[in-house]
Amino acid sequence: MAGLAIVVFSDLVDSTALLARLGDDRMETIRRAHVSDVREAVQAADGRLIKTLGDGTMASFDSALGALRAAAGIQTAVERLDLAQGGLGIAARVGVAAGEPISHEDDLHGMVVVIASRLCSAARSGEVLVQDLVRELVASRDGVALGDAASYELKGVLTRCAHRACAGVS
């Protein structure tokens, strides 16, 4: 892969505490369902699931709008999963960044990957944090509602991003 990519990281919030509460077998069932839901959301938005990292995922998109649609799809799927599991408090956080990653052996590396990962870590439960560059890429599109931008110090990387309500992408 060469050129611009939109990288999306997702992660289940407080999954270790959930694992301790539910046990290995039930949490593994939840993790598998979650990864399957992420894969479906990514594919539906014409993206590519790069890898899974426990209950976390990294995906790549050619389209910023597609990446935001997938992020919204991930959040919706996690809400459904939580309901299906009896309201355990399962929630996700997502980070979205744009740049030119380095591709090596079916994986992506570089600053865009770091920023997407750090945004995901900085997001609150149920939240998607979007790098300002991604916001600019979709600014003229109908059906995209992004919150006001704020600055974040992300482990040594200063970036601007916008809080986004998942219902804001159609």
Side-chain angles (χ1 to χ4, degrees):
M1 166 190 268
L4 182 67
I6 315 306
V7 177
V8 175
F9 268 80
S10 70
D11 184 45
L12 291 181
V13 177
D14 294 329
S15 60
T16 303
L18 199 57
L19 170 64
R21 201 170 82 214
L22 301 177
D24 289 336
D25 295 325
R26 184 153 184 217
M27 189 61 196
E28 179 60 14
T29 299
I30 290 168
R31 188 198 67 78
R32 288 182 186 184
H34 170 63
V35 170
S36 177
D37 289 343
V38 169
R39 183 173 283 111
E40 287 177 25
V42 167
Q43 289 174 345
D46 296 323
R48 182 171 68 105
L49 186 61
I50 303 297
K51 62 182 166 185
T52 61
L53 313 138
D55 58 69
T57 64
M58 181 173 79
S60 150
F61 298 82
D62 294 331
S63 162
L65 189 58
L68 293 178
R69 286 182 175 144
I74 290 167
Q75 293 290 19
T76 299
V78 169
E79 290 169 7
R80 279 194 312 260
L81 177 61
D82 185 51
L83 287 174
Q85 292 294 321
L88 298 170
I90 302 167
R93 59 178 156 236
V94 180
V96 183
E100 295 205 22
I102 297 167
S103 180
H104 180 71
E105 296 180 357
D106 296 325
D107 201 354
L108 298 178
H109 307 276
M111 189 55 74
V112 64
V113 173
V114 171
I115 291 172
S117 173
R118 298 289 191 259
L119 287 171
C120 180
S121 294
R124 294 185 302 252
S125 179
E127 184 175 56
V128 177
L129 287 182
V130 179
Q131 183 189 34
D132 208 36
L133 176 56
V134 175
R135 177 188 174 126
E136 290 175 25
L137 290 170
V138 298
S140 66
R141 298 300 299 265
D142 292 338
V144 178
L146 295 171
D148 293 332
S151 294
Y152 287 80
E153 181 74 30
L154 304 171
K155 232 177 177 181
V157 179
L158 182 64
T159 191
R160 289 183 52 80
C161 63
H163 296 267
R164 189 187 74 65
C166 292
V169 178
S170 58

